[in-house]
């Protein structure tokens, strides 16, 4: 079977308090090698995974923020964040990491990977996925 | 129909391994094929044969091993998650210079690519976790 | 599409998230501690009843029974066993677990 499936990774948990965020990211990185259609969704506490300004020195845990920034290099460019989840937490897109990807077809122009969407738009994205991996 | 199953939590602490087991058993009884059961996060703890639950309780690990033997199930424990949590097979023992291995019968340790492949090859993937 | 929820709605917001991000016509299966959401007279019963107008809501009977909730299930929620769970997954084109 060589068909391309739509893989959706749904992240609903905050980082560091539990390992889900980091181990989810490990799946995303490995999965990127399989040439499937990949979409990431950050909802509820999952939005805390991609806030900027994290410093984990004091808790002696590896800071994996830079790994999100590298996602564009893995050709992962569809990252959806639920607007309601951000608002509920007093966050805006300005609080999030500046995730970019380079468009080969437009002379490697840098484009935003993060799209803030409504719950209804996210429902459509979820409905459209073939395989949903939840963390 | 072909199913793949992902188990994200260890035995006993959460119900997820129990539910995944009951689902897998029911799917097999209904004539479906289980392409793979992939154990991730603390779910890798389902793969140690050293668990010793009380006699009057279900033995979650043995139950998976027996179901695997009966139906030739592919029970895969994620290597990266397993290394963190001390789930070791013969190969991992030698590679990492450990003095023991503890993998339960019917389980094997392999990479995360097996989870992605499970998603690609199966008609449905169902995740059980916390 | 099938959504599964396994958390008590009084402890986590998985159910609310599922209801917010699921489409009309979908199926929602309450399993494990989420079966408490299937009971009547609770703070979330109205949300479930509202969802039932446009979505099919199921609860896993073995989990309902285990928790002593069999007499309290909201009318119209279909109770299914593990075989029914398997059929739901097979019948719907994809499954998302709201962990």
């Amino acid at each position: 079977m060589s068909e391309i499936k739509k893989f959706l990774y749904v992240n609903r948990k905050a980082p560091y308090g539990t390992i889900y965020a980091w181990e989810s990211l490990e799946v995303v990185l490995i999965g990127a090698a399989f040439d499937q259609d990949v979409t990431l969704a950050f909802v509820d506490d999952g939005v805390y995974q991609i806030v900027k300004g994290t410093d984990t020195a004091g808790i002696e845990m590896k800071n994996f923020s830079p790994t999100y920034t590298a996602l564009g290099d893995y050709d992962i460019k569809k990252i959806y964040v639920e607007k309601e989840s951000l608002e509920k937490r007093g966050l805006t897109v300005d609080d999030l990491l500046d995730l970019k990807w380079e468009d080969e077809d437009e002379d490697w122009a840098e484009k935003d990977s993060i799209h803030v969407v409504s719950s209804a738009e996210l429902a459509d994205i979820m409905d459209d996925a073939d395989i949903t991996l939840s963390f | 129909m072909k199913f793949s199953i992902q188990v994200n939590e260890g035995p006993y602490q959460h119900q997820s391994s129990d539910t995944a087991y009951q689902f897998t058993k029911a799917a097999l009884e209904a004539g479906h094929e289980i392409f793979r059961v992939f154990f991730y996060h603390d779910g890798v703890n389902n793969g140690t044969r050293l668990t010793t639950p009380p006699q009057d309780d279900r033995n979650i690990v043995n139950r998976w091993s027996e179901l695997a033997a009966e139906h030739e199930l592919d029970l895969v424990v994620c290597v990266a998650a397993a290394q963190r949590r001390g789930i070791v097979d013969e190969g991992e023992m030698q590679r990492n210079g450990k003095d023991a291995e503890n993998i339960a019968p019917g389980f094997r340790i392999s990479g995360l690519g097996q989870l992605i492949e499970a998603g690609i090859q199966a008609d449905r993937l169902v995740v059980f976790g916390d | 599409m099938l959504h599964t929820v396994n958390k008590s709605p009084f402890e986590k917001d998985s159910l609310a998230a599922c209801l917010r991000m699921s489409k009309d016509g979908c199926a929602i299966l309450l399993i494990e501690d989420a079966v408490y959401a299937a009971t009547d007279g609770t703070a979330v019963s109205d949300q479930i009843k509202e969802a039932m107008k446009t979505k099919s809501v199921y609860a896993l009977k073995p989990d309902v029974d285990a928790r002593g909730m069999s007499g309290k299930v909201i009318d119209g929620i279909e109770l299914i066993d593990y075989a029914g769970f398997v059929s739901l997954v097979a019948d719907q084109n994809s499954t998302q677990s709201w962990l």
Side-chain angles (χ1 to χ4, degrees):
Chain A
M1 204 191 294
S2 60
E3 66 173 303
I4 291 182
K5 284 193 174 178
K6 289 177 185 159
F7 274 70
L8 173 67
Y9 296 86
V10 178
N11 297 285
R12 295 186 55 244
K13 296 188 170 93
Y16 305 114
T18 58
I19 199 170
Y20 299 105
W22 171 235
E23 285 191 333
S24 163
L25 197 50
E26 288 192 321
V27 181
V28 172
L29 296 176
I30 297 288
F34 282 74
D35 291 327
Q36 301 290 307
D37 180 308
V38 175
T39 300
L40 270 57
F42 293 91
V43 301
D44 296 321
D45 277 357
V47 302
Y48 288 127
Q49 293 182 23
I50 51 170
V51 297
K52 59 188 175 195
T54 55
D55 177 0
T56 61
I59 58 169
E60 295 188 5
M61 286 161 91
K62 178 175 158 183
N63 188 331
F64 50 89
S65 272
T67 313
Y68 292 106
T69 312
L71 287 174
D73 301 334
Y74 287 83
D75 214 27
I76 292 164
K77 51 202 178 197
K78 290 187 286 185
I79 299 178
Y80 295 95
V81 180
E82 194 207 17
K83 186 164 173 277
E84 285 83 341
S85 297
L86 284 178
E87 286 172 352
K88 205 172 171 183
R89 288 159 182 80
L91 300 172
T92 70
V93 72
D94 294 334
D95 293 304
L96 305 180
L97 294 166
D98 192 19
L99 304 185
K100 303 278 194 192
W101 65 285
E102 292 178 347
D103 193 341
E104 194 177 352
D105 300 329
E106 290 184 25
D107 197 23
W108 307 101
E110 277 203 337
K111 295 186 174 176
D112 288 324
S113 303
I114 292 184
H115 306 277
V116 177
V117 295
S118 68
S119 325
E121 287 171 296
L122 210 42
D124 284 332
I125 291 162
M126 290 169 172
D127 190 59
D128 195 39
D130 296 313
I131 296 291
T132 303
L133 296 165
S134 355
F135 296 96
Chain B
M1 192 169 266
K2 218 186 286 184
F3 291 93
S4 285
I5 309 293
Q6 181 182 339
V7 182
N8 285 348
E9 297 298 335
Y12 304 105
Q13 178 84 19
H14 295 282
Q15 199 187 342
S16 56
S17 180
D18 287 274
T19 308
Y21 171 80
Q22 299 295 349
F23 181 91
T24 302
K25 197 155 74 81
L28 291 165
E29 282 164 4
H32 296 293
E33 180 189 337
I34 301 293
F35 177 77
R36 179 169 293 148
V37 183
F38 191 87
F39 296 88
Y40 197 44
H41 302 306
D42 276 359
V44 300
N45 291 318
N46 286 285
T48 167
R49 65 169 187 274
L50 301 184
T51 53
T52 315
Q55 287 288 337
D56 61 352
D57 198 357
R58 72 233 188 269
N59 190 319
I60 294 180
V61 176
N62 286 0
R63 222 167 45 172
W64 277 115
S65 291
E66 285 158 16
L67 198 66
E70 197 181 333
H71 298 276
E72 296 182 349
L73 292 186
D74 190 19
L75 307 182
V76 178
V77 173
C78 169
V79 61
Q83 284 173 340
R84 288 190 180 110
R85 295 163 178 89
I87 305 300
V88 181
D89 64 6
E90 186 75 30
E92 283 295 302
M93 178 180 85
Q94 286 171 4
R95 225 180 335 273
N96 299 307
K98 300 295 178 184
D99 60 3
E101 51 88 16
N102 60 350
I103 195 88
F107 288 81
R108 65 187 180 93
I109 295 180
S110 190
L112 270 174
Q114 299 271 307
L115 171 60
I116 307 298
E117 193 203 8
I120 295 171
Q121 296 295 332
D123 301 303
R124 301 283 185 274
L125 176 108
V126 189
V127 185
F128 296 90
D130 180 44
Chain C
M1 179 176 182
L2 171 67
H3 299 265
T4 68
V5 181
N6 72 336
K7 298 293 187 318
S8 162
F10 312 111
E11 189 205 1
K12 295 272 177 65
D13 61 358
S14 319
L15 176 72
C18 170
L19 295 178
R20 195 169 75 234
M21 284 172 265
S22 55
K23 291 166 70 81
D24 289 355
C26 74
I28 297 172
L29 171 62
L30 306 169
I31 67 171
E32 300 174 357
D33 285 351
V35 297
Y36 294 118
T39 60
D40 213 348
T42 76
V44 301
S45 301
D46 285 346
Q47 290 172 47
I48 290 284
K49 287 174 187 172
E50 186 60 32
M52 286 167 67
K53 291 177 184 168
T54 54
K55 301 163 187 180
S56 307
V57 180
Y58 304 81
L60 196 61
K61 187 172 186 298
D63 282 329
V64 172
D65 292 346
R67 289 160 177 81
M69 293 293 124
S70 52
K72 297 180 183 296
V73 175
I74 295 168
D75 280 345
I77 290 185
E78 192 178 334
L79 295 177
I80 61 172
D81 57 10
Y82 291 104
F85 185 176
V86 170
S87 300
L88 262 186
V89 172
D91 292 344
Q92 301 287 328
N93 55 5
S94 68
T95 299
Q96 176 168 342
S97 309
W98 291 85
L99 302 179

